[in-house]
Amino acid sequence: MSKIVIVGGKLQGSEAAYLGREAGIDIVLIDKDPQAPAQELCTKFICGDVLSDDPEVVRELESADMILPTMENDYVLEGLTELCSRKGYVLAFDWEAYKVTSSKKISDRLFADNGLPCPRYYPDGNYPFIAKPESESGSHGVQVLADKKQLDGFLEKKKENYIIQEFVEGPSYSVEIIGVPGNYRTYETTEIFVDDVYDCNLAAALHTIEPGKKEKLESLAVEIAELIGLRGIMDLEVIDHHGEIKILEIDARLPSQTSIVVYHASGMNYIKELYDLFCHGNFTDEQINEGRCASLIHYLFEGKQYSSHGEHIMVEGGRLKYTEGLCSRAVVMSDYNPAEKVWRGTFVNWADDLEGLEKNEALMRNELAARLNLSGESDVQ
């Protein structure tokens, strides 16, 4: 059986493990954290340093068909790139592209130099503005500055290296691209929904984006991939701001949340695609799109209440496992323990159309309420 070593056992690692299982590939996880959330989702877990000379770590790396980083630690990523180059291991990761995409200043300069649409930098533009750490992904450290008073206060206190741009509103979309220069594939577009701290708590394939905008999004992804010479996977996130596509960010690494949604909506599995590209030199499966609707949501359960939160909650609890018996149709990955009042889970639903998806989501909520004696879903404060 094929084997992939993934390095990093948080949210990206959890999704890689799930997709690997769906593709019939053994997934070995290496992580220094003995409580790595993804460890029970994998075929084997090694608690260790991937850059060490630990004999067990070395054996797994030497016997792997492919190594896939599923974290964002620059020291480890650069070291792993050097190690794989020196040892001849197959690494499904592009360090040079990642360096561009992990810096918002560098990537925004790329957009500006090539006339690509993105929000304007302060002092250009209008209120509100949004302040984001230059080198963080997701919502960590994000602040919205509604007026001059808030902006001045932020500028007086800020200690980190932030960028400040116009805050653009509207539907948020993401598309992934995999390949090498001259040979790229784009995949199903997903819509991104965020919680009150701008962390993604729901990703869905709803097929609501206009065809012309979908084509524009895919074209932008290919253009950017060619500009940075991408070899691997990258996601592009945009906002449809008053009818105009604005680029929010790019990330040359395995995305979280959208991967599983795309798999259940279209039938395309990013782990299988990366395996074929890096181990066989090209895509081996015909690209398909089965046209389903799908959604992935994170819930935090506290006593008889539950609420939807961003992805950060999934690494704040215990080890995740495939949780059977809570829902008849949904895929559930959670740290559920009947003895604990507080737990969290990722819930995935899909159906042939939007109406069917909404029915399955309602069924899921009803089953959860009945089996766990829940009083209902609460709003995030």
Side-chain angles (χ1 to χ4, degrees), residues 76 152 311:
V76 176
D152 290 344
E311 60 186 282

Side-chain angles (χ1 to χ4, degrees), residues 8-42:
K10 292 185 178 181
L11 189 59
Q12 291 166 289
S14 300
E15 299 197 11
Y18 173 77
L19 292 174
R21 185 182 77 156
E22 291 293 298
I25 298 172
D26 276 343
I27 299 292
V28 176
L29 168 64
I30 299 177
D31 195 308
K32 290 197 297 185
D33 181 5
Q35 299 302 318
Q39 62 182 273
E40 294 186 17
L41 303 175
C42 301

Side-chain angles (χ1 to χ4, degrees), residues 14 31 50 82 87 89 101-103 129 138 157 161 163 186 188 193 195 224 232 240 259 297 325 337 339 350 361:
S14 300
D31 195 308
V50 72
E82 188 280 328
K87 295 288 189 178
Y89 302 151
T101 68
S102 64
S103 167
F129 288 95
K157 297 178 190 177
N161 192 12
I163 64 170
T186 57
E188 180 59 68
F193 302 85
D195 63 10
I224 294 168
D240 182 358
S259 300
I297 192 166
N337 182 338
W350 61 94
E361 291 172 336

Side-chain angles (χ1 to χ4, degrees), residues 186-199:
T186 57
Y187 300 84
E188 180 59 68
T189 299
T190 52
E191 190 165 355
I192 305 300
F193 302 85
V194 298
D195 63 10
D196 57 343
V197 293
Y198 304 100
D199 196 12

Side-chain angles (χ1 to χ4, degrees), residues 30 44-47 53-61:
I30 299 177
K44 181 178 181 180
F45 170 58
I46 298 174
C47 183
D53 294 325
D54 181 325
E56 188 175 18
V57 169
V58 172
R59 280 197 299 272
E60 292 300 335
L61 294 178

Side-chain angles (χ1 to χ4, degrees), residues 365-377:
R365 291 189 292 268
N366 291 337
E367 288 178 330
L368 288 172
R371 291 174 181 172
L372 301 175
N373 193 27
L374 301 174
S375 56
E377 184 174 355

Side-chain angles (χ1 to χ4, degrees), residues 90 98 117 153 318 341:
V90 175
Y98 178 81
K341 291 185 177 180

